[in-house]
Amino acid sequence: MLFFDMMRDPASLVLCAIALAGCSGLPGLVLRDGTLGQRLASVAALLSSLLALPSLLYLLLGGGEASFLLNWNLPFGPCEVALDPLSVFFLIPIFLVFPAGSLYALGYWPAASHSSQRSVTFFYGLLACAMALVVVSRNGALFMMSWEIMALSGYFLLVAEHGESEVRGAGTVYLVASHLGGAALLFLFASLFMITGGFGFPAAGSLAVGAGLAGALFWLALAGFGSKAGLMPLHLWLPSAHANAPSHVSALLSGVMLKIGVYGILRVISFFPERPLWWGGVLTVAGLASAVMGICVASAQKDIKRLLAYSSIENLGIICAGIGMFLLGQGTGNQRLAFLGLAGALFHVLNHVIFKPLLFFCAGSVMHAAGTRDLDRMGGLARRLPYTAFFTLCGAVAICGLPPFNGFASEMLLYLGFFGEARAGQPFVALGAPVLALVGGVAVISFVKLYGIAFLGEPRTAEAAGAHEAAGTMLAPIAVLACLALTGGLFPQLFLALVQPAIRGLAPDLAHAAVLPIAPVWFALAGGSVICLAAILFLFLNAKTKGRTAAASTWGCGYLRPSPRIQYTGSSFGAFFSSLSGSLIRTRITVGQVAGLTPAAVRLSYHPEETLLHRVVLPVLNVLGIGCAFVRRLQHGEVQIYILYIFVTLMLLLLWVH
Amino acid sequence: MIDTIFHVVLVLAMPPLLLGVIGKTKAAFAGRVGAPFLQPYYDMGRLMKKGIVLSDSTTWIFRAGPVVTLAATLFAALLVPLGKHPAPISFEGDMILFAYLFALGRFFTTTAALDTASSFEGMGAAREVSFSCLAEPTLFFALITLTRLSGTMSLTPMLQHVTLPVWMGTGASLILLLAGLFVVLLAENCRIPFDDPNTHLELTMIHEVMVLDHSGPYFCCVLYGAALKLYLLGALFVNIALPFASGNAYLDWVVFAAGMLLLAVAIGVVESVMARLRLIRVPQLLVAALILTAFSLVLVVR
């Protein structure tokens, strides 16, 4: 009986789904047949999402909340797990992308050709479970434990191909950055413990502390969660991590794990009854700066996944700017700005959860087919992978924020917020609109390049010429995400219905006072008309030119022996904009010497550089490394001495406590 | 209803005439007779009757490019008021949709260019997207200024707010704004000094080089879409530059159409007296326009 009662309670179902997600990879670890284990994991993932998503929607739309006290005997106070609208909202991405990626992995990372499949499948489930636990936990200690499991399983997933030194390097940078962020969070929760006297999270709006202390807590949260969300300048780990992970892992890391950082920022903000104005200013400026820098650097990339990773920095920047607008609006009593900022930010969270995994899955299919991540070695894939090409086009249009896809709808809300401020006495906030327009313009550069260079034109290499379409299990999740992207663009009210409860949870005064200034029907009308008009014109012209179509080669401007090598490459496509943006984007060009009357063949190669990493951080770290060389003597690889360190530390701590 | 019909007819029928007027003006400056005013219509009619040549390298994207661009521009045509008459579709935030529909068109024009595997078309596409991302913030600055002046966030009330008294009050700001918008108009429509629509050297082109491989009815779509874009951005400009309302609805249509023709003459004059800028100078002019519109905002804030 108890079992059936539990099954009727949506909140318990969600917890069951979280547990199921965590266990999904376990059978694969013990089963001898790797393929069977992977299939079981996918079934478990789909089942968990089948349990969770309807319950989550029910909880969110029905306004239900639930809280559970777990019985543990650790000395960190009562262990509370709760599902409030904010948590439920951030659980949706997890249970959307996790099963999609799990299904995708059947074709992308099959047991037959990847020895690392067992560990990848196991940690994939564990990562989803840990992220869900982070979102539902209401106890600082449980939060940090889940956070650590999340970070570590992310690491093990990321180094799946640890045979390559580039992957190991990316893993190390990720681990260091993740733990630096974790240290900031440890300080945050320790300070909260000092203030409230327990590890339990303070209830919303109940943490009344002095301005200085609140500011310190805000900076700690921004450092810890902002580094997870990849805000500039804390983004250094992100591009190489997301580029080197298997694609379905990148989809989960980029699509969902970054949002956990956003969740953290929102959760910490919700503790405070009063949020100073400067928090909003900091978040808006940091977000817009991240967006501009992220997308500018993305436009110079030639590695398809690195480009997507930098674009994640841009999108998270936009989300962060939205949260900043919310705080600015609350600080100045401007409910319209606050509502549009928060609604735009949360809507964009959902949108990014849809189109970024979509694009990472497509990038995975492309890599699978062409055998490289380098855009400059692809080309002509649209003829060989027609479905993947079509869905990538949907994703690219969506992520550029163009109608009729979902990216446009959320950016529209932010634009309306910015434009509304033009009427204010001091229209500083309105300056965000041109910045967002610039971001949109550069996004078009980046994604025209990604799509055009990879899929269109002629194949640049033999591998690209011999590419083949992805398997059905890989295309199905991509198709679902593409449909969702279009749905969100035409009927934004469906997504906004999910956003509303979360807004109500964060700012109870807001949801009633503010209404959407634009009727959602315009999105459907505009998008629908453009699609219909284009379809009618396309069919009309097709019928008109039928039978009168001659085939020829591309006009070569008089040159008679063109080769695929003379096509514009990704590097050359982005080079023109890079030349405009000066020192923001640096490209290292290596070229051999051309000498003599009959020179031998020389190579020329472009490598986009991470300015901050190569010009600032690495030099500083080098100096620090020399300065701290003496510490290395402590680390010599002898395990028994390490255990001694632990013992001594423990003794010292005990002495300190007494 | 009658206004909507007028709007649709004007927007559909008039754009190629602007190209004819520009051509005639340039011919007059060069001391030639020039092609008839209606030459663009004849050209398009002829193109519609022709067959097409498709490159072996292309996919369906190549054919979708002109089509999607034209569809997006056609919908954008419903958002701009013409003269003192409201646009058929008007809602809060329609100016953002207006700007983004052009961006959608640009996305598809440039991908269609990359579909041909030609390095020249790739070059044109790279230039087009790079210049537009500098032109776009200028347009948004101008829109912010207009939002501040009019207190609304929709193109129709925003542009109809600009009347003679408003010009008297904030003339300096509006002149800067118009200067910025004029630069955007020339850049977005690939006119001299940014791009020469009549050049014969592929290396120096921007827009024309992207559509080298289009032919027949698809090329007609490209030409018509480009003319329509010129018309719409021109309408934005004329709405601010001509703040007169005669009171008579029919006379207002005539005033607006005359304004558009005047604008075409002005573009023709600019094209006749200026040389094309070197490619590396183009961004500087665009940034200058951005700063002009930023100043126009500063002037209305003070």
Side-chain angles (χ1 to χ4, degrees):
Chain A
M1 273 328 277
L2 183 71
F3 178 74
F4 285 108
D5 278 346
M6 233 175 83
M7 285 293 114
R8 249 185 255 127
D9 175 24
S12 326
L13 279 181
V14 173
L15 293 189
C16 289
I18 294 175
L20 186 58
C23 303
S24 66
L26 278 180
L29 287 183
V30 289
L31 281 177
R32 179 170 287 203
D33 182 0
T35 312
L36 181 65
Q38 199 180 13
R39 284 196 185 143
L40 279 178
S42 294
V43 170
L46 286 177
L47 199 64
S48 74
S49 129
L50 218 57
L51 281 179
L53 277 182
S55 322
L56 290 172
L57 293 183
Y58 178 81
L59 280 173
L60 205 54
L61 299 177
E65 293 195 22
S67 130
F68 301 87
L69 266 185
L70 298 191
N71 198 0
W72 72 356
N73 49 8
L74 296 177
F76 302 118
C79 172
E80 197 190 355
V81 165
L83 290 164
D84 65 351
L86 187 63
S87 299
V88 172
F89 180 82
F90 277 90
L91 280 174
I92 291 176
I94 299 173
F95 285 103
L96 185 68
V97 180
F98 167 59
S102 191
L103 195 60
Y104 180 83
L106 285 181
Y108 175 73
W109 206 259
S113 51
H114 292 277
S115 56
S116 58
Q117 176 270 332
R118 282 164 205 268
S119 75
V120 167
T121 309
F122 172 70
F123 283 114
Y124 199 67
L126 195 62
L127 175 63
C129 171
M131 288 193 296
L133 278 182
V134 166
V135 172
V136 296
S137 72
R138 290 293 177 279
N139 177 299
L142 179 66
F143 187 97
M144 281 314 292
M145 287 179 205
S146 327
W147 186 267
E148 197 62 17
I149 296 175
M150 174 179 91
L152 287 179
S153 38
Y155 172 76
F156 288 119
L157 284 168
L158 163 57
V159 294
E161 288 172 302
H162 47 74
E164 293 171 35
S165 67
E166 191 192 347
V167 175
R168 287 198 302 272
T172 311
V173 174
Y174 165 82
L175 210 56
V176 172
S178 190
H179 281 90
L180 284 180
L185 293 185
L186 218 52
F187 272 111
L188 173 75
F189 288 115
S191 326
L192 280 179
F193 178 76
M194 298 292 210
I195 297 165
T196 62
F199 276 109
F201 283 4
S206 69
L207 193 68
V209 290
L213 192 54
L217 291 178
F218 173 74
W219 282 117
L220 281 175
L222 198 59
F225 293 121
S227 76
K228 187 53 69 181
L231 284 182
M232 292 229 175
L234 306 173
H235 68 286
L236 290 171
W237 60 274
L238 192 151
S240 52
H242 289 189
N244 286 303
S247 287
H248 63 299
V249 176
S250 314
L252 196 63
L253 294 182
S254 204
V256 186
M257 211 217 267
L258 300 182
K259 312 300 181 311
I260 304 297
V262 176
Y263 163 78
I265 292 175
L266 284 174
R267 176 62 72 194
V268 170
I269 284 174
S270 80
F271 294 158
F272 297 94
E274 281 180 11
R275 298 132 194 190
L277 199 56
W278 63 266
W279 292 12
V282 167
L283 279 176
T284 311
V285 171
L288 287 177
S290 274
V292 173
M293 310 249 288
I295 198 65
C296 282
V297 180
S299 76
Q301 300 303 312
K302 59 175 193 166
D303 176 333
I304 185 168
K305 286 177 73 179
R306 229 167 227 281
L307 195 159
L308 290 174
Y310 276 107
S311 131
S312 290
I313 297 176
E314 173 230 331
N315 280 289
L316 268 290
I318 291 177
I319 292 168
C320 186
I323 298 172
M325 283 163 73
F326 159 64
L327 292 179
L328 283 177
Q330 282 212 320
T332 53
N334 183 344
Q335 295 228 331
R336 186 180 181 282
L337 181 66
F339 172 74
L340 285 173
L342 191 56
L346 291 177
F347 192 1
H348 205 73
V349 165
L350 281 185
N351 291 341
H352 191 240
V353 162
I354 290 166
F355 49 60
K356 190 46 67 70
L358 162 64
L359 286 169
F360 264 119
F361 290 155
C362 290
S365 303
V366 165
M367 285 159 53
H368 205 257
T372 174
R373 288 197 327 237
D374 190 349
L375 282 171
D376 293 351
R377 304 181 71 77
M378 298 177 186
L381 296 176
R383 283 167 174 262
R384 292 155 185 90
L385 293 82
Y387 298 109
T388 308
F390 178 73
F391 294 130
T392 311
L393 184 66
C394 296
V397 174
I399 202 167
C400 288
L402 297 175
F405 284 91
N406 56 356
F408 174 68
S410 52
E411 288 193 18
M412 180 79 153
L413 297 186
L414 296 179
Y415 271 123
L416 285 172
F418 283 131
F419 267 96
E421 284 309 283
R423 296 173 293 196
Q426 301 290 330
F428 289 121
V429 182
L431 296 181
V435 177
L436 208 52
L438 177 68
V439 170
V442 187
V444 170
I445 301 184
S446 311
F447 285 94
V448 165
K449 167 174 150 177
L450 184 145
Y451 187 71
I453 303 295
F455 287 97
L456 304 177
E458 293 288 336
R460 292 177 177 79
T461 56
E463 289 82 14
H468 51 87
E469 181 59 282
T473 46
M474 292 162 78
L475 282 173
I478 297 178
V480 169
L481 291 174
C483 288
L484 282 176
L486 187 61
T487 312
L490 293 179
F491 307 106
Q493 63 270 42
L494 297 180
F495 285 21
L496 283 170
L498 303 181
V499 168
Q500 286 279 7
I503 295 180
R504 219 174 295 139
L506 272 171
D509 53 327
L510 218 54
H512 307 292
V515 284
L516 213 56
I518 171 173
V521 66
W522 293 117
F523 290 99
L525 182 76
S529 314
V530 171
I531 293 174
C532 289
L533 260 177
I536 291 169
L537 270 172
F538 192 76
L539 294 176
F540 169 71
L541 290 183
N542 249 357
K544 196 159 174 57
T545 55
K546 196 158 200 169
R548 293 193 295 160
T549 306
S553 58
T554 296
W555 166 239
C557 304
Y559 187 63
L560 293 180
R561 290 187 54 207
S563 95
R565 296 284 304 270
I566 69 171
Q567 289 177 91
Y568 235 42
T569 59
S571 304
S572 40
F573 193 83
F576 189 69
F577 182 73
S578 304
S579 71
L580 300 183
S581 54
S583 58
L584 190 62
I585 307 170
R586 282 175 187 276
T587 312
R588 200 172 68 244
I589 303 174
T590 41
V591 57
Q593 276 290 323
V594 182
L597 289 176
T598 52
V602 291
R603 294 184 70 85
L604 171 110
S605 60
Y606 284 80
H607 296 281
E609 270 188 357
E610 170 66 67
T611 312
L612 197 64
L613 185 67
H614 289 280
R615 303 274 156 177
V616 183
V617 176
L618 282 184
V620 169
L621 281 184
N622 277 339
V623 172
L624 273 180
I626 296 165
C628 303
F630 66 93
V631 183
R632 282 206 195 142
R633 286 191 204 149
L634 293 175
Q635 195 192 17
H636 33 60
E638 288 179 40
V639 178
Q640 64 273 34
I641 313 273
Y642 286 173
I643 295 173
L644 183 68
Y645 290 161
I646 295 175
F647 180 73
V648 171
T649 316
L650 210 59
M651 290 307 289
L652 287 177
L653 279 177
L654 278 176
L655 272 179
W656 183 55
V657 166
H658 286 282
Chain B
M1 191 61 211
I2 190 93
D3 273 354
T4 309
I5 292 171
F6 259 106
H7 184 104
V8 171
V9 168
L10 211 56
V11 145
L12 289 182
M14 200 176 159
L17 184 61
L18 294 194
L19 297 181
V21 172
I22 293 175
K24 203 75 173 172
T25 315
K26 288 171 77 172
F29 263 81
R32 293 182 282 118
V33 178
F37 285 113
L38 298 183
Q39 186 63 40
Y41 296 92
Y42 304 144
D43 287 346
M44 288 179 196
R46 201 186 62 225
L47 283 172
M48 278 312 279
K49 291 199 201 96
K50 288 197 168 189
I52 57 168
V53 180
L54 276 184
S55 157
D56 303 321
S57 309
T58 57
T59 59
W60 63 274
I61 294 284
F62 179 69
R63 281 171 292 141
V67 165
V68 175
T69 308
L70 181 58
T73 319
L74 279 173
F75 193 82
L78 297 176
L79 302 173
V80 192
L82 304 182
K84 294 298 138 194
H85 302 280
I89 293 180
S90 170
F91 54 89
E92 191 105 320
D94 58 2
M95 73 280 191
I96 299 156
L97 179 63
F98 181 75
Y100 268 68
L101 282 172
F102 287 129
L104 179 68
R106 193 184 318 129
F107 187 99
F108 275 89
T109 313
T110 46
T111 41
L114 287 173
D115 200 11
T116 59
S118 151
S119 46
F120 289 107
E121 299 193 27
M123 214 176 274
R127 289 170 188 171
E128 166 94 356
V129 287
S130 306
F131 290 150
S132 316
C133 71
L134 291 179
E136 208 137 271
T138 313
L139 183 62
F140 274 80
F141 260 120
L143 290 172
I144 291 178
T145 310
L146 289 172
T147 302
R148 182 165 181 87
L149 283 177
S150 68
T152 62
M153 283 194 280
S154 167
L155 279 173
T156 299
M158 192 188 276
L159 293 173
Q160 295 194 338
H161 174 80
V162 184
T163 49
L164 268 184
V166 175
W167 260 97
M168 292 299 178
T170 55
S173 160
L174 283 176
I175 285 174
L176 289 178
L177 190 150
L178 278 181
L181 271 186
F182 193 64
V183 172
V184 170
L185 173 73
L186 294 177
E188 283 277 314
N189 293 293
C190 303
R191 316 299 309 185
I192 294 176
F194 295 96
D195 185 16
D196 188 353
N198 295 323
T199 178
H200 57 271
L201 184 59
E202 293 90 346
L203 258 178
T204 62
M205 299 188 210
I206 301 174
H207 185 258
E208 296 306 307
V209 75
M210 286 195 296
V211 298
L212 273 180
D213 269 86
H214 286 292
S215 53
Y218 290 97
F219 190 50
C220 176
C221 267
V222 171
L223 288 182
Y224 184 68
L228 188 58
K229 187 175 176 187
L230 174 67
Y231 191 82
L232 297 181
L233 287 173
L236 202 65
F237 181 87
V238 166
N239 272 321
I240 305 168
L242 283 183
F244 312 107
S246 62
N248 180 324
Y250 295 101
L251 202 59
D252 277 344
W253 286 114
V254 176
V255 169
F256 172 76
M260 289 303 291
L261 295 179
L262 260 179
L263 175 71
V265 172
I267 294 174
V269 171
V270 169
E271 296 218 324
S272 305
V273 301
M274 278 193 82
R276 202 172 158 262
L277 281 178
R278 278 161 62 202
L279 211 57
I280 48 168
R281 297 271 171 237
V282 169
Q284 299 175 357
L285 185 55
L286 285 172
V287 171
L290 177 70
I291 295 169
L292 282 183
T293 43
F295 266 121
S296 83
L297 179 62
V298 173
L299 282 182
V300 292
V301 168
R302 103 203 118 85

